[in-house]
Amino acid sequence: MSGSVTASADGVAASLGSCSACQAELSLPFLCEDCGELFRDPVGGLNAFQRFGIKPSFELDLRALEARHLQLSRRMHPDRLIGKDPRQQGRALTLSSALNEAYALLRDERRRAEHLVAVSGGKTADQDKRTPPTFLLEQLELREEVESAQERGDEAALTKARERTQAEQRASRDAVAALFDDAGWPSEALLDAARLQLNVWKYWITFGKELA
């Protein structure tokens, strides 16, 4: 492959160069979409957005993402390379697996949000487990209410708890989306706020699964 291969934070990015097999200009660092030649990932790897050649964003067109995944999967399928260079076959397996992992991540809204915070320079959930003041106390009280309703067989109270949980999940999702959409993203303050809100979102998702 001619030229240097690097991937920037806001897309596939910089100086992809040309394909060493057909000289076509590359739009992805690991695949020539003209002739199908496969290349190793750049040093440092690619994030999930770069894997698809799209700008990091929380709001994605999932139908377009699905179509792109299918298109790239066909181009890199190991069966297409049977009888060809073993190095290309090995790369096809590695790259196909990486593409599938990136696709699964981007299809999940919360995982996509977590990934966007990470690639924007924010902390992961393991690095920062904080929640807003009083949130954990409120969660404890709600769990006690639910346990009491379960013991009483109070289905109306349980239904109300489920409805509240679903509403809180939507509110958390919308709050995160608003932070990503802020003109100041990714400032330190917005990254910090997104981390807190994502932790809250995760709590509500976990609680929702327990109530299901």
Side-chain angles (χ1 to χ4, degrees), residues 44-68:
L46 299 171
N47 64 50
F49 299 102
Q50 292 168 337
R51 185 70 57 187
F52 283 89
I54 58 179
K55 183 177 180 180
S57 175
F58 179 62
E59 303 292 355
L60 290 182
D61 182 336
L62 293 184
R63 289 187 177 181
L65 181 68
E66 180 181 18
R68 184 63 166 154

mmCIF file of all heavy atoms in Angstrom, residues 44-68:
data_model
loop_
_atom_site.group_PDB
_atom_site.id
_atom_site.type_symbol
_atom_site.label_atom_id
_atom_site.label_comp_id
_atom_site.label_asym_id
_atom_site.label_seq_id
_atom_site.Cartn_x
_atom_site.Cartn_y
_atom_site.Cartn_z
ATOM 1 N N GLY A 44 -1.970 1.073 16.300
ATOM 2 C CA GLY A 44 -2.908 1.706 17.233
ATOM 3 C C GLY A 44 -4.339 1.263 17.014
ATOM 4 O O GLY A 44 -5.205 1.505 17.838
ATOM 5 N N GLY A 45 -4.573 0.563 15.890
ATOM 6 C CA GLY A 45 -5.905 0.034 15.628
ATOM 7 C C GLY A 45 -6.909 1.083 15.182
ATOM 8 O O GLY A 45 -6.566 2.236 14.917
ATOM 9 N N LEU A 46 -8.156 0.661 15.093
ATOM 10 C CA LEU A 46 -9.247 1.514 14.651
ATOM 11 C C LEU A 46 -10.377 1.454 15.670
ATOM 12 O O LEU A 46 -10.635 0.398 16.252
ATOM 13 C CB LEU A 46 -9.790 1.051 13.296
ATOM 14 C CG LEU A 46 -8.829 1.045 12.104
ATOM 15 C CD1 LEU A 46 -9.482 0.340 10.918
ATOM 16 C CD2 LEU A 46 -8.442 2.460 11.727
ATOM 17 N N ASN A 47 -11.064 2.568 15.861
ATOM 18 C CA ASN A 47 -12.260 2.494 16.690
ATOM 19 C C ASN A 47 -13.424 2.028 15.810
ATOM 20 O O ASN A 47 -13.277 1.869 14.595
ATOM 21 C CB ASN A 47 -12.536 3.823 17.398
ATOM 22 C CG ASN A 47 -12.850 4.973 16.446
ATOM 23 O OD1 ASN A 47 -13.693 4.840 15.557
ATOM 24 N ND2 ASN A 47 -12.185 6.109 16.646
ATOM 25 N N ALA A 48 -14.571 1.808 16.424
ATOM 26 C CA ALA A 48 -15.701 1.232 15.687
ATOM 27 C C ALA A 48 -16.197 2.142 14.572
ATOM 28 O O ALA A 48 -16.641 1.667 13.516
ATOM 29 C CB ALA A 48 -16.840 0.911 16.652
ATOM 30 N N PHE A 49 -16.121 3.441 14.777
ATOM 31 C CA PHE A 49 -16.556 4.376 13.741
ATOM 32 C C PHE A 49 -15.592 4.342 12.553
ATOM 33 O O PHE A 49 -16.013 4.321 11.390
ATOM 34 C CB PHE A 49 -16.640 5.796 14.308
ATOM 35 C CG PHE A 49 -17.614 5.957 15.441
ATOM 36 C CD1 PHE A 49 -17.170 6.024 16.749
ATOM 37 C CD2 PHE A 49 -18.972 6.029 15.190
ATOM 38 C CE1 PHE A 49 -18.071 6.163 17.801
ATOM 39 C CE2 PHE A 49 -19.878 6.181 16.218
ATOM 40 C CZ PHE A 49 -19.426 6.248 17.530
ATOM 41 N N GLN A 50 -14.309 4.328 12.854
ATOM 42 C CA GLN A 50 -13.300 4.267 11.801
ATOM 43 C C GLN A 50 -13.411 2.980 11.002
ATOM 44 O O GLN A 50 -13.141 2.950 9.803
ATOM 45 C CB GLN A 50 -11.904 4.389 12.421
ATOM 46 C CG GLN A 50 -11.625 5.762 13.001
ATOM 47 C CD GLN A 50 -10.377 5.782 13.860
ATOM 48 O OE1 GLN A 50 -9.942 4.752 14.378
ATOM 49 N NE2 GLN A 50 -9.780 6.959 14.021
ATOM 50 N N ARG A 51 -13.803 1.913 11.675
ATOM 51 C CA ARG A 51 -13.945 0.616 10.996
ATOM 52 C C ARG A 51 -14.940 0.715 9.848
ATOM 53 O O ARG A 51 -14.808 0.028 8.830
ATOM 54 C CB ARG A 51 -14.409 -0.424 12.019
ATOM 55 C CG ARG A 51 -14.508 -1.851 11.523
ATOM 56 C CD ARG A 51 -13.183 -2.466 11.244
ATOM 57 N NE ARG A 51 -12.280 -2.470 12.389
ATOM 58 C CZ ARG A 51 -11.018 -2.852 12.322
ATOM 59 N NH1 ARG A 51 -10.503 -3.258 11.177
ATOM 60 N NH2 ARG A 51 -10.252 -2.812 13.399
ATOM 61 N N PHE A 52 -15.939 1.575 9.998
ATOM 62 C CA PHE A 52 -16.945 1.732 8.940
ATOM 63 C C PHE A 52 -16.727 2.988 8.107
ATOM 64 O O PHE A 52 -17.497 3.263 7.185
ATOM 65 C CB PHE A 52 -18.347 1.759 9.556
ATOM 66 C CG PHE A 52 -18.851 0.399 9.946
ATOM 67 C CD1 PHE A 52 -18.589 -0.111 11.202
ATOM 68 C CD2 PHE A 52 -19.558 -0.382 9.036
ATOM 69 C CE1 PHE A 52 -19.031 -1.384 11.558
ATOM 70 C CE2 PHE A 52 -20.002 -1.654 9.371
ATOM 71 C CZ PHE A 52 -19.732 -2.160 10.642
ATOM 72 N N GLY A 53 -15.699 3.754 8.450
ATOM 73 C CA GLY A 53 -15.423 4.962 7.683
ATOM 74 C C GLY A 53 -16.455 6.057 7.899
ATOM 75 O O GLY A 53 -16.776 6.804 6.979
ATOM 76 N N ILE A 54 -16.984 6.142 9.129
ATOM 77 C CA ILE A 54 -18.006 7.145 9.422
ATOM 78 C C ILE A 54 -17.543 8.063 10.549
ATOM 79 O O ILE A 54 -16.735 7.672 11.394
ATOM 80 C CB ILE A 54 -19.360 6.502 9.809
ATOM 81 C CG1 ILE A 54 -19.194 5.584 11.027
ATOM 82 C CG2 ILE A 54 -19.937 5.744 8.636
ATOM 83 C CD1 ILE A 54 -20.488 4.938 11.488
ATOM 84 N N LYS A 55 -18.073 9.275 10.567
ATOM 85 C CA LYS A 55 -17.731 10.241 11.595
ATOM 86 C C LYS A 55 -18.337 9.803 12.932
ATOM 87 O O LYS A 55 -19.489 9.389 12.977
ATOM 88 C CB LYS A 55 -18.263 11.626 11.212
ATOM 89 C CG LYS A 55 -17.898 12.722 12.199
ATOM 90 C CD LYS A 55 -18.410 14.074 11.711
ATOM 91 C CE LYS A 55 -18.046 15.177 12.698
ATOM 92 N NZ LYS A 55 -18.525 16.510 12.240
ATOM 93 N N PRO A 56 -17.589 9.894 14.024
ATOM 94 C CA PRO A 56 -18.142 9.541 15.332
ATOM 95 C C PRO A 56 -19.394 10.344 15.651
ATOM 96 O O PRO A 56 -19.382 11.569 15.592
ATOM 97 C CB PRO A 56 -16.992 9.894 16.291
ATOM 98 C CG PRO A 56 -15.765 9.760 15.470
ATOM 99 C CD PRO A 56 -16.162 10.258 14.116
ATOM 100 N N SER A 57 -20.470 9.661 15.946
ATOM 101 C CA SER A 57 -21.738 10.320 16.235
ATOM 102 C C SER A 57 -22.632 9.376 17.028
ATOM 103 O O SER A 57 -22.608 8.159 16.811
ATOM 104 C CB SER A 57 -22.437 10.720 14.931
ATOM 105 O OG SER A 57 -23.723 11.268 15.192
ATOM 106 N N PHE A 58 -23.424 9.933 17.936
ATOM 107 C CA PHE A 58 -24.363 9.101 18.683
ATOM 108 C C PHE A 58 -25.553 8.717 17.822
ATOM 109 O O PHE A 58 -26.033 7.585 17.857
ATOM 110 C CB PHE A 58 -24.831 9.845 19.934
ATOM 111 C CG PHE A 58 -25.831 9.066 20.749
ATOM 112 C CD1 PHE A 58 -25.489 7.847 21.316
ATOM 113 C CD2 PHE A 58 -27.114 9.549 20.947
ATOM 114 C CE1 PHE A 58 -26.407 7.115 22.058
ATOM 115 C CE2 PHE A 58 -28.040 8.838 21.702
ATOM 116 C CZ PHE A 58 -27.678 7.614 22.248
ATOM 117 N N GLU A 59 -26.045 9.668 17.045
ATOM 118 C CA GLU A 59 -27.197 9.393 16.191
ATOM 119 C C GLU A 59 -26.708 8.775 14.880
ATOM 120 O O GLU A 59 -25.955 9.400 14.132
ATOM 121 C CB GLU A 59 -27.966 10.678 15.900
ATOM 122 C CG GLU A 59 -28.457 11.419 17.148
ATOM 123 C CD GLU A 59 -29.543 10.666 17.898
ATOM 124 O OE1 GLU A 59 -30.006 9.608 17.417
ATOM 125 O OE2 GLU A 59 -29.942 11.152 18.974
ATOM 126 N N LEU A 60 -27.114 7.534 14.629
ATOM 127 C CA LEU A 60 -26.699 6.839 13.419
ATOM 128 C C LEU A 60 -27.914 6.319 12.655
ATOM 129 O O LEU A 60 -28.929 5.963 13.257
ATOM 130 C CB LEU A 60 -25.794 5.644 13.761
ATOM 131 C CG LEU A 60 -24.385 5.923 14.278
ATOM 132 C CD1 LEU A 60 -23.664 4.596 14.501
ATOM 133 C CD2 LEU A 60 -23.604 6.793 13.311
ATOM 134 N N ASP A 61 -27.782 6.272 11.341
ATOM 135 C CA ASP A 61 -28.785 5.644 10.497
ATOM 136 C C ASP A 61 -28.497 4.148 10.509
ATOM 137 O O ASP A 61 -27.569 3.676 9.842
ATOM 138 C CB ASP A 61 -28.679 6.212 9.070
ATOM 139 C CG ASP A 61 -29.732 5.643 8.130
ATOM 140 O OD1 ASP A 61 -30.233 4.530 8.394
ATOM 141 O OD2 ASP A 61 -30.029 6.293 7.108
ATOM 142 N N LEU A 62 -29.271 3.394 11.291
ATOM 143 C CA LEU A 62 -28.979 1.977 11.474
ATOM 144 C C LEU A 62 -29.188 1.170 10.195
ATOM 145 O O LEU A 62 -28.516 0.157 9.986
ATOM 146 C CB LEU A 62 -29.829 1.401 12.606
ATOM 147 C CG LEU A 62 -29.506 1.947 14.000
ATOM 148 C CD1 LEU A 62 -30.345 1.238 15.055
ATOM 149 C CD2 LEU A 62 -28.022 1.794 14.323
ATOM 150 N N ARG A 63 -30.106 1.603 9.337
ATOM 151 C CA ARG A 63 -30.292 0.902 8.069
ATOM 152 C C ARG A 63 -29.071 1.088 7.183
ATOM 153 O O ARG A 63 -28.612 0.139 6.520
ATOM 154 C CB ARG A 63 -31.550 1.407 7.362
ATOM 155 C CG ARG A 63 -32.840 0.968 8.027
ATOM 156 C CD ARG A 63 -34.056 1.346 7.179
ATOM 157 N NE ARG A 63 -35.292 0.874 7.780
ATOM 158 C CZ ARG A 63 -36.486 1.043 7.249
ATOM 159 N NH1 ARG A 63 -36.613 1.684 6.083
ATOM 160 N NH2 ARG A 63 -37.564 0.587 7.857
ATOM 161 N N ALA A 64 -28.540 2.297 7.156
ATOM 162 C CA ALA A 64 -27.329 2.558 6.366
ATOM 163 C C ALA A 64 -26.148 1.783 6.942
ATOM 164 O O ALA A 64 -25.313 1.261 6.200
ATOM 165 C CB ALA A 64 -27.034 4.056 6.348
ATOM 166 N N LEU A 65 -26.071 1.710 8.274
ATOM 167 C CA LEU A 65 -25.004 0.956 8.916
ATOM 168 C C LEU A 65 -25.105 -0.528 8.570
ATOM 169 O O LEU A 65 -24.095 -1.183 8.269
ATOM 170 C CB LEU A 65 -25.078 1.142 10.431
ATOM 171 C CG LEU A 65 -24.001 0.424 11.244
ATOM 172 C CD1 LEU A 65 -22.629 1.040 11.003
ATOM 173 C CD2 LEU A 65 -24.347 0.459 12.739
ATOM 174 N N GLU A 66 -26.318 -1.053 8.583
ATOM 175 C CA GLU A 66 -26.527 -2.463 8.241
ATOM 176 C C GLU A 66 -26.110 -2.739 6.795
ATOM 177 O O GLU A 66 -25.445 -3.746 6.509
ATOM 178 C CB GLU A 66 -27.989 -2.843 8.442
ATOM 179 C CG GLU A 66 -28.300 -4.298 8.115
ATOM 180 C CD GLU A 66 -29.763 -4.644 8.293
ATOM 181 O OE1 GLU A 66 -30.599 -3.715 8.341
ATOM 182 O OE2 GLU A 66 -30.082 -5.845 8.377
ATOM 183 N N ALA A 67 -26.480 -1.830 5.904
ATOM 184 C CA ALA A 67 -26.123 -2.005 4.490
ATOM 185 C C ALA A 67 -24.613 -1.955 4.299
ATOM 186 O O ALA A 67 -24.046 -2.737 3.519
ATOM 187 C CB ALA A 67 -26.797 -0.920 3.655
ATOM 188 N N ARG A 68 -23.960 -1.044 5.011
ATOM 189 C CA ARG A 68 -22.497 -0.934 4.919
ATOM 190 C C ARG A 68 -21.827 -2.171 5.487
ATOM 191 O O ARG A 68 -20.838 -2.668 4.928
ATOM 192 C CB ARG A 68 -22.038 0.317 5.666
ATOM 193 C CG ARG A 68 -20.542 0.596 5.574
ATOM 194 C CD ARG A 68 -20.112 0.872 4.161
ATOM 195 N NE ARG A 68 -18.775 1.453 4.117
ATOM 196 C CZ ARG A 68 -17.958 1.340 3.083
ATOM 197 N NH1 ARG A 68 -18.337 0.665 1.996
ATOM 198 N NH2 ARG A 68 -16.761 1.903 3.092
#
